[in-house]
């Protein structure tokens, strides 16, 4: 089968599955929003227990990380990610999932060479480049406000 590049592009376009972009965006918005609402409910609960706003925020963060890690270990968070797409990447829960998933995947290789070594394989670059970007932005901000 000898095709020109234009013919090949037409063939690929004919065969490719149409992306449900609007559906994906709606699901991401709804699931990401639901995770945030759950976080707010947890924070309100800690506030009702008598914690001040700062302590309630800290306890909420810890709770969301714990729940994300638990649901990742039970393979529920990955199912949510397949369903919701980017909506499950709400920063704190998505970050916890990106740390726990490789740790679970490499558990068979042992604690040191498996879990501990591979735990930040996904989250590590986020930490490194996020920190580097914040330093660069901080320097730029400092230079322009000085």
């Amino acid at each position: 089968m000898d095709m020109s590049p234009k013919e090949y592009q037409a063939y690929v376009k004919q065969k490719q599955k149409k992306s449900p972009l609007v559906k994906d965006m709606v699901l991401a918005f709804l699931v990401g929003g639901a995770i945030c609402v759950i976080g707010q409910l947890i924070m309100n609960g800690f506030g009702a227990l008598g914690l001040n706003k700062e302590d309630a925020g800290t306890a909420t963060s810890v709770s969301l990380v714990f729940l994300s890690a638990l649901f990742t270990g039970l393979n529920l968070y990955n199912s949510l990610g397949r369903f919701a797409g980017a909506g499950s990447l709400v920063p704190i829960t998505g970050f916890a999932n990106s740390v726990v998933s490789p740790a679970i995947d490499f558990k068979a290789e042992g604690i040191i060479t498996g879990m501990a070594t591979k735990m930040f394989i996904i989250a590590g670059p986020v930490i490194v480049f996020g920190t580097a970007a914040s330093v660069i932005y901080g320097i730029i901000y400092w230079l322009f406000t000085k």
Side-chain angles (χ1 to χ4, degrees):
M1 183 190 259
D2 193 24
M3 292 185 183
S4 71
K6 284 185 179 181
E7 291 172 328
Y8 179 73
Q9 289 298 327
Y11 175 75
V12 168
K13 193 170 187 173
Q14 173 193 7
K15 294 292 183 181
Q16 77 183 21
K17 184 180 173 186
K18 301 293 181 226
S19 176
L21 185 62
V22 173
K23 177 186 155 230
D24 290 347
M25 288 190 305
V26 169
L27 281 174
F29 176 78
L30 292 175
V31 172
I35 291 171
C36 292
V37 167
I38 290 168
Q40 187 64 52
L41 290 172
I42 292 170
M43 186 166 169
N44 292 350
F46 283 124
L49 292 175
L51 271 65
N52 64 37
K53 192 170 184 173
E54 186 175 322
D55 291 341
T58 302
T60 300
S61 296
V62 170
S63 298
L64 287 172
V65 167
F66 170 77
L67 289 172
S68 177
L70 176 67
F71 291 155
T72 299
L74 297 173
N75 201 29
L76 296 173
Y77 203 89
N78 295 336
S79 299
L80 177 67
R82 280 192 294 280
F83 172 73
S88 64
L89 297 177
V90 172
I92 197 162
T93 56
F95 183 78
N97 174 261
S98 72
V99 171
V100 174
S101 288
I104 291 170
D105 291 343
F106 293 98
K107 175 176 69 173
E109 294 181 22
I111 291 175
I112 303 296
T113 59
M115 288 184 356
T117 305
K118 305 292 185 179
M119 188 178 294
F120 289 102
I121 200 165
I122 296 172
V126 174
I127 295 169
V128 170
F129 291 113
T131 304
S134 68
V135 168
I136 292 168
Y137 296 145
I139 291 170
I140 292 170
Y141 177 77
W142 179 76
L143 287 173
F144 282 108
T145 58
K146 189 99 172 129

